[in-house]
Amino acid sequence: MNGLMRRVGTVAAIVGGVVLVGGAQQRPADPKDPRIGLKAGLFDAGVAARNMELTATLARPQGFFDPKAPAGEASPPERPEPAPAAEGGAAAPAAPAAPAAPAAPAAGQPAGPRPGTPPARGGLDFANSDLAFAGTHMWVGNFHGFNTYDIEDARKPKLLASIVCPGGQGDVSVYGNLLFMSVEQTRGRVDCGVQGVAETVSKERFRGVRIFDISDLRRPRQVAAVQTCRGSHTHTLVPDVKDKSRIFVYGSGTGSVRSGEELEGCSGEEPDKDENTALFSIDVIEVPLAAPQNARIVNRPRIFADESTGAIAGLWKGGDHGPGTQRTSVTNQCHDITVFPEVGLAAGACSGNGILMDISDPVHPKRLDAVFDKNFAYWHSATFNNDGTKVIFTDEWGGGTRPRCRATDLPNWGANAIFDIVDGKMQFKGYYKMPAPQTETENCVAHNGSLIPVPGRDIMVQGWYQGGLSVFDFTDSANPVEIAFFDRGPLDAKQLITGGYWSTYWYNGHIYASEIARGIDVFRLKPSEFLSQNEIDAAMLVRHEEFNAQQQPKVTWPATAVVAKAYVDQLNRTRGIQAERAKAVVAAMDRAEGMRSSRDRNAATVVQQLETLAGQLETDAAAAAGRDQARLQALAETLKGRAARLQ
């Protein structure tokens, strides 16, 4: 790996027509990394973990795996990659009609054992996909439907319901009593049947966004099914801040365009032949919350258009970026869009480009900036930091089904690219890739993750398929650092079977992971030299009523002693605070925590101490710089907030 790292040169990214050159490199892999050489196996693979522990694991339920191939089938042989394959977002080949199977339950009805369910093709027909959360429940998407779990006790998740509704890729989101699910494969049926669709053109086929009423968690009902021309590979919920009676869904279709005979208005022609082509756009779906059955497409914005000419095919045209670079498909689609409503921004991972959008008018998103990277094969997903001043894009090189974390693979291919957002433009800063080399039988590449809400830091947990999960700090955009990980050995030692972590998300104190072939895992973080117990406890204070990773919430922290101590730990780590000042802050906050109200006898004294310390910290902040300045100011605000509660 050391020789490999020396081969990594400078990286050029085009931002708004300006070439930005960066030389940020990742540290070489540790040859003693415990993730190297793990034993293979389905449920008995070798395990390696650092600074985190597995607290629960649950296998896929009956009916959601092929009993003849419980881990899924071997991936097809390696092929040249003129375009991303399978999950990576290329136009998926039409799935053949499934063999006859027992009649499906009514749409949205629970599944029992299904011995007649068609066998998996490449292991994906029963693959777990994305996750959504609300209250004490978690939904796990699957190419065969979705499963609902009770996670009130995160150490003992309980299956509540299994809903058979095939069609891939089964990404799920939740809003109130509604669940949304993406469907893209040509086998999907309006009635959720498992028998598939044999005809080339059929009104029985469904490709788009399904909407379920989940008021009764055990018996969801499909209440709407919005057909789209390219299906829905993923989708994103976008609240209307001006009208709470509705919500919008951005549908991202990456499959082939269906025939206009099957769905009126669909055309897969290039723009020079048909200006109304279904290519080069996304779908904006309006959902009236009181009448979701009336959901409909209200716009197909041309977010890739050339700003000067208006040509709708205005971004990356496809091809490689020169000798020794990746080949990237034409930007005529988005694989995934992440919205950050509180800051009015969205980030689109769109095949050949990463784009930044203004979503102040959610029906008419406006592109602010676009970037491309010669090291990216397929722009896959995006995550903002909590300030909305950075965005991470992932590259799904190999489509998610290939081994792309081998010792011979470049560390900036199939990795994350980190950008700072300055005045509505993106500035490339660095890369991050899970650092432990994996084997030829482990599909591995950057995939889905979320922020871990530690105040004062930018920390993300991310799945890497069979590369396991990695927790890393990107507070310094140019120098991300891994702080925790978990990994298992390959599913099979001799052949590549698609598996590993599709998504790993932090939700209300735990990390939940959907494993394609095995099931679900739950983790908790452990303190280390990289992350203190106070920082973990501060993150644990953040509670969401709902969480959909593509709809990022703005996180705020209460003015408590543990939050103050988290800032103090960070400042002590960087030597950004005087030792005596740090001790005084901790002592004052501990005294304040012991008081219930202003009626306490010493409340006035403690308030004065907190306000005095806050003033001193603000003075310190004025003389500091960078992240320490921001932490000192945030610590001062925390002290003032606690003082206000005692007055």
Side-chain angles (χ1 to χ4, degrees), residues 5 35 60 73 116 157 243 268 276 328 410 467 500 505 551 624:
M5 294 304 300
R35 288 169 284 190
R60 287 181 295 174
E73 295 181 348
D243 185 353
N276 295 316
T328 309
L410 290 171
Y505 299 142
Q551 179 194 349

Side-chain angles (χ1 to χ4, degrees), residues 329-580:
S329 297
V330 59
T331 301
N332 66 20
Q333 60 186 257
C334 283
H335 178 279
D336 210 332
I337 298 172
T338 295
V339 297
F340 198 163
E342 285 85 350
V343 299
L345 293 176
C350 304
S351 187
N353 293 92
I355 67 175
L356 186 68
M357 292 180 282
D358 178 343
I359 57 167
S360 53
D361 179 354
V363 180
H364 302 94
K366 179 182 178 182
R367 191 177 82 241
L368 299 174
D369 195 20
V371 295
F372 75 83
D373 188 324
K374 68 179 183 179
N375 294 299
F376 266 40
Y378 190 81
W379 295 70
H380 175 272
S381 57
T383 303
F384 290 99
N385 70 338
N386 190 56
D387 296 331
T389 58
K390 301 177 186 177
V391 62
I392 290 179
F393 287 103
T394 67
D395 171 28
E396 198 177 38
W397 172 34
T401 61
R402 301 296 176 201
R404 292 293 181 259
C405 302
R406 300 161 296 186
T408 54
D409 291 322
L410 290 171
N412 52 355
W413 286 24
N416 299 335
I418 305 168
F419 293 82
D420 284 356
I421 301 172
V422 181
D423 297 328
K425 302 296 181 182
M426 293 180 284
Q427 299 179 357
F428 171 77
K429 290 297 180 180
Y431 293 110
Y432 175 78
K433 187 172 185 178
M434 184 281 302
Q438 304 291 294
T439 68
E440 290 282 353
T441 66
E442 292 173 286
N443 57 303
C444 177
V445 74
H447 215 239
N448 296 339
S450 74
L451 298 182
I452 296 177
V454 174
R457 298 175 70 179
D458 297 325
I459 297 178
M460 183 172 174
V461 58
Q462 184 175 3
W464 295 81
Y465 290 114
Q466 288 195 73
L469 67 84
S470 177
V471 178
F472 64 98
D473 183 314
F474 63 104
T475 307
D476 180 348
S477 305
N479 296 286
V481 177
E482 185 174 56
I483 61 179
F485 61 75
F486 179 88
D487 191 17
R488 288 189 179 93
L491 286 163
D492 192 281
K494 297 181 179 179
Q495 60 180 346
L496 195 160
I497 297 175
T498 301
Y501 292 125
W502 183 290
S503 299
T504 59
Y505 299 142
W506 172 279
Y507 178 69
N508 292 353
H510 290 82
I511 293 170
Y512 296 86
S514 61
E515 213 283 351
I516 290 173
R518 293 181 173 102
I520 58 171
D521 290 331
V522 186
F523 301 88
R524 75 175 186 91
L525 288 172
K526 298 168 64 175
S528 67
E529 68 271 29
F530 302 108
L531 189 68
S532 71
Q533 187 63 57
N534 287 321
E535 290 173 297
I536 295 172
D537 290 344
M540 298 275 286
L541 293 176
V542 176
R543 286 292 184 266
H544 298 300
E545 289 301 313
E546 293 177 345
F547 180 75
N548 304 299
Q550 292 83 4
Q551 179 194 349
Q552 278 192 232
K554 177 76 173 179
V555 173
T556 58
W557 291 267
T560 64
V562 71
V563 172
K565 291 176 182 178
Y567 287 126
V568 169
D569 287 347
Q570 294 163 15
L571 289 162
N572 281 332
R573 195 179 289 130
T574 62
R575 299 181 181 179
I577 190 172
Q578 301 171 25
E580 290 304 314

Side-chain angles (χ1 to χ4, degrees), residues 1-10 25-28 410-411:
M1 185 65 83
N2 289 334
L4 172 65
M5 294 304 300
R6 286 193 293 270
R7 289 163 48 201
V8 180
T10 59
Q25 296 187 19
Q26 191 167 315
R27 296 177 182 177
L410 290 171

